[in-house]
Each structure stands twice: as C-alpha cells, then as structure tokens.
Amino acid sequence: MSKAPDLDVQLFAPSPLLGTVIAVQANYYRVRLDIQHSGELPLASLAASALLCTRRSRLKKIGQQVMVGDRVEIEEPDWSGGRGAIANVLPRQSELDRPPVANAQQILLVFALEEPGLEPYQMSRFLIKAESTGLDVCLCLNKSDLLTPQQLNQWRDRLNNWGYQPVFTSVRTGTSVYETSCQLNQKITIIAGPSGVGKSSLINTLIPTLNLRVGAVSGKLSRGRHTTRHVELFELPTGGLLADTPGFNQPDIDCSPEELVYYFPEARQRLVVANCFFSDCLHRDEPNCAVRGDWERYEHYLDFLEEVIARQEHLNQQADPESSLKLKTKGKGESQYEPKLESKKYRRSSRRTQQQALQELYQDAEES
Ligand SMILES: Nc1nc2c(ncn2[C@@H]2O[C@H](COP(=O)(O)OP(=O)(O)O)[C@@H](O)[C@H]2O)c(=O)[nH]1
Ligand SMILES: [Mg+2]
Ligand SMILES: [Zn+2]
C-alpha cells in the first residue's frame, strides 16, 4: 500500500517486491516477479524470477485468499532457495470464480470454422456466457485453412452483424497467429471454446516451450464431474498470461432475464439509439419495444430468455420452500397445485453472479 518512492531513493530502499501469482498448489504460490524489480536484484535471481511463496499468517487470519492472477507483495525473499512470503494482496480488478482467476482482462473464445463446423447457436451461447463476465470478449475463428476466401467473408459479415470482429486464424498455416498474440500482450486472458477447435495447438504455437497435448478429445459428458479447480497461468514470451481451460460443452446461461439483452452487442446497440416503452420490457411482444426486430440472433435471444426465466423460477421456488408447502395443503379436491405467478422481481445482477459467471462454462469440464 506504500507509495512508490522517488527513483533515487529506490536504489537504497526498494519499494515492496511485487509480482503476479501464476500457480497455486496446496499452500504454495508461484509468484512471477515484476521485471523492473528483478532488474534491481542479485544476478542469480534473474534467471529464475519466480519465487515459491507461502502466505503470511496475518493474511490467513483476515481470511485473505490468494488467487492465480493476484498482484502480491513479497517479503523476505530467499534468493538462493527461491522462496518468499506473500505479505499483501493488492486490490483486484476482476475476479472469476470458475476458473478461479483474479485480474483477467479478457476472454479469448476460440471456435473452428470446420472440423468441427461452426454452429451459430452454440457460438451464441458461449458468447453470451463470456459477455456476462463483464470482461472483454475476443473472438478467434480457427482452421481458416479449411475455408475459401468467399466463405470466410460470409462469416466475417455475419459476425460483424452480431457486433464482433473475429480474427480468422490458422494454427496450421500460421495465418493471423501473430495478430492474436498481439491481442494477448501484457494482459491476463482466459482461453475458452469447445474442444477440438485448436486451443491447445494455438497455445503451443504461442508458447513453444509448453507442449500441451493436442487432439485430446473430451469424451464423457458427466456433468459437474472432472471439474478442476486447478488453474495455471502460462506465460507468453512477449509478456502476458494465459489461463487455459478444460474443454467444455454447452454452457448454461444463468443471468437474470433483464440482463440477458445486454449480452448481445447488436441488441445493446439498438438500446443506445432508442428506449423500450416499458422500463422492464423483456423484448418479447411488449408494445413499442426497441429491441424486437429483424436481427439474426433475435431468435437466440428469445430462446435463451425462456431458459433464464425457467431457471429463475426454479431458483425462486427453491429459495421459498414455505410457499410450495402452502400450495400442497391448499384446495379441497380442487386444483391441488397452483402455479406461482411469474415473478417480476428477478434477481439483480450482483457482484457474486458476475464472479461466478464463467462457472457454468466449466461445469462439464474435463482436463485437457
Ligand atoms: N486444419 C486445421 N487443423 C487444426 C488447426 N489447429 C488445430 N488443428 C487440429 O485440430 C485438432 C484439435 O486441436 P487441439 O489443439 O487439441 O484442440 P483443443 O481441443 O481446442 O485444444 C488437432 O488435430 C489439430 O491438429 C488449424 O488451424 N487447421
Ligand atoms: Mg486442448
Ligand atoms: Zn423491449
């Protein structure tokens, strides 16, 4: 928390040693030190500017968790042993629950144009889920070597209408891999997408020393199993950190019905230029709706809306067991069950839902 001292003072009394947590294992944290700091350090430490750290007991006492991606202050570095202690965690810019990553700035969604072919509905689902985290969303369409330039242009136009500027890559031929690496520069990025699209291949190309398994097909769809809480940040040679994620299937959308529309950039745009008549408009058949209309993904919107409303009602019922008890004891041979009215008071977007927004993405996860 101390302010950075003046430059000439710094030579004698270095500001706290700062770094980024790149891996968490049991009670140990691997911390990559900031390069500026390591420049001031003894030569031996330069080779390995990562320290294996413990967490100060003071942090344990106040319940301060340390996550991958956290910016931390290190005390008592032991350069010969490569050890240190985390004394402080700097305030987080963002925080995701699953994968548990702090300070991520963006999500890179990867899809294949062929093998497996692009499925607009599935892509929409991933996009909505990614948008709901509040992080920046980048779209990478891989295996461009399998399509003709005309086909690529058709996809480009179509996705522009969705509000996205996809980068068409081919890890096989190297097309636009450099552009992608530039997008990842100096940022913490979470890579996500269906399996088989080339994520591991892309990461291997960006970080040649890594050698992830390519073509590892995720088999069973056992929901909630195979979930791993283990995240590691891979370091790009150009600077920047990548969180690889296990392959996953169809992400569930779990925002509130009112929020949903904002996760469609093209619908968001419609709301910039006009308002709906009703402030709580869900953009179905309400009069004077600014959102309803002739845009490709409106059908997706309606589908996902049904889904989140059903989900919301299910949650409300679970949260309110007494009311369902009442329903059971009601009635004299008449209707035994009275469906609850569709509640207008949907859950608001809370910080917690934001943090957990990626959760569903990883629920069917298997380690890749
Ligand atoms: N034609 C083509 N195949 C690719 C490309 N990138 C990856 N592949 C292949 O796609 C398959 C799945 O790749 P992988 O990296 O394991 O995908 P992941 O499941 O998303 O990690 C492998 O057989 C790769 O060789 C590409 O740009 N073009
Ligand atoms: Mg993979
Ligand atoms: Zn509306």
Side-chain angles (χ1 to χ4, degrees):
M1 297 285 202
S2 57
K3 270 182 78 180
D6 297 339
L7 201 63
D8 50 340
V9 180
Q10 201 171 350
L11 289 171
F12 304 100
S15 53
L17 202 53
L18 284 175
T20 304
V21 178
I22 54 173
V24 179
Q25 198 121 48
N27 292 318
Y28 287 95
Y29 307 88
R30 186 165 296 281
V31 178
R32 164 70 60 218
L33 300 177
D34 290 4
I35 225 78
Q36 310 90 281
H37 288 280
S38 31
E40 299 157 5
L41 299 173
L43 207 63
S45 64
L46 279 178
S49 56
L51 295 178
L52 194 60
C53 297
T54 52
R55 180 172 56 139
R56 272 279 136 88
S57 50
R58 189 184 64 83
L59 293 182
K60 285 177 203 159
K61 269 186 207 134
I62 61 172
Q64 172 69 65
Q65 296 294 322
V66 180
M67 298 170 80
V68 158
D70 263 331
R71 301 278 299 146
V72 293
E73 290 178 8
I74 308 288
E75 278 178 2
E76 294 170 21
D78 160 16
W79 300 113
S80 53
R83 301 295 184 111
I86 295 175
N88 200 10
V89 179
L90 304 191
R92 292 174 183 143
Q93 306 300 309
S94 70
E95 183 184 317
L96 290 179
D97 194 56
R98 200 183 300 192
V101 177
N103 300 321
Q105 280 118 319
Q106 57 187 6
I107 298 178
L108 180 69
L109 278 184
V110 185
F111 296 91
L113 290 149
E114 277 295 341
E115 297 178 13
L118 214 45
E119 293 172 32
Y121 190 75
Q122 183 202 45
M123 188 163 35
S124 238
R125 200 174 261 286
F126 274 90
L127 284 167
I128 300 304
K129 193 73 200 179
E131 292 281 352
S132 71
T133 63
L135 302 182
D136 291 341
V137 178
C138 309
L139 187 53
C140 166
L141 301 183
N142 189 37
K143 310 200 188 185
S144 64
D145 53 290
L146 300 176
L147 259 60
T148 64
Q150 289 85 344
Q151 288 173 310
L152 292 179
N153 277 332
Q154 280 168 7
W155 276 116
R156 190 189 308 279
D157 290 345
R158 190 163 171 187
L159 289 164
N160 283 347
N161 288 331
W162 292 18
Y164 293 97
Q165 277 78 47
V167 177
F168 293 97
T169 60
S170 168
V171 177
R172 181 156 293 175
T173 66
T175 304
S176 293
V177 169
Y178 177 73
E179 282 87 332
T180 306
S181 80
C182 292
Q183 278 193 331
L184 308 179
N185 226 342
Q186 309 302 335
K187 290 181 173 163
I188 298 181
T189 305
I190 291 168
I191 291 207
S195 57
V197 299
K199 294 184 300 297
S200 300
S201 308
L202 176 66
I203 297 171
N204 282 341
T205 305
L206 296 171
I207 312 172
T209 51
L210 204 55
N211 230 341
L212 296 176
R213 247 177 83 209
V214 164
V217 182
S218 77
K220 290 168 288 178
L221 311 180
S222 46
R223 184 166 196 73
R225 294 224 194 115
H226 305 289
T227 298
T228 176
R229 299 279 302 173
H230 177 81
V231 191
E232 186 176 352
L233 292 179
F234 299 128
E235 304 178 73
L236 294 159
T238 50
L241 297 165
L242 276 185
D244 187 19
T245 54
F248 49 81
N249 306 303
Q250 291 284 347
D252 283 345
I253 294 170
D254 59 357
C255 62
S256 76
E258 286 87 356
E259 283 171 317
L260 181 66
V261 73
Y262 294 100
Y263 304 143
F264 289 82
E266 70 275 51
R268 219 153 53 206
Q269 192 53 38
R270 297 173 84 96
L271 286 170
V272 169
V273 291
N275 287 322
C276 298
F277 182 74
F278 292 109
S279 62
D280 60 353
C281 186
L282 287 179
H283 325 296
R284 288 183 285 198
D285 33 31
E286 297 90 338
N288 293 323
C289 170
V291 169
R292 185 179 59 238
D294 187 20
W295 47 285
E296 185 193 347
R297 291 204 296 167
Y298 183 57
E299 287 300 319
H300 297 183
Y301 169 76
L302 291 177
D303 258 37
F304 296 153
L305 184 65
E306 291 310 313
E307 194 175 313
V308 294
I309 287 175
R311 190 189 176 91
Q312 200 70 70
E313 283 169 354
H314 180 71
L315 283 178
N316 285 348
Q317 268 170 19
Q318 278 187 333
D320 200 2
E322 275 198 6
S323 72
S324 51
L325 267 180
K326 259 186 211 159
L327 287 174
K328 270 186 195 160
T329 55
K330 203 189 170 221
K332 290 181 183 172
E334 284 185 5
S335 90
Q336 288 288 311
Y337 180 78
E338 214 172 75
K340 276 171 77 176
L341 285 175
E342 196 173 291
S343 169
K344 270 287 173 190
K345 280 197 174 176
Y346 296 112
R347 190 168 47 120
R348 294 300 314 167
S349 163
S350 65
R351 181 153 167 272
R352 188 161 169 78
T353 58
Q354 293 256 327
Q355 287 168 10
Q356 292 183 327
L358 262 191
Q359 188 155 328
E360 289 296 324
L361 281 179
Y362 302 97
Q363 226 166 38
D364 300 323
E366 290 193 348
E367 285 207 52
S368 44

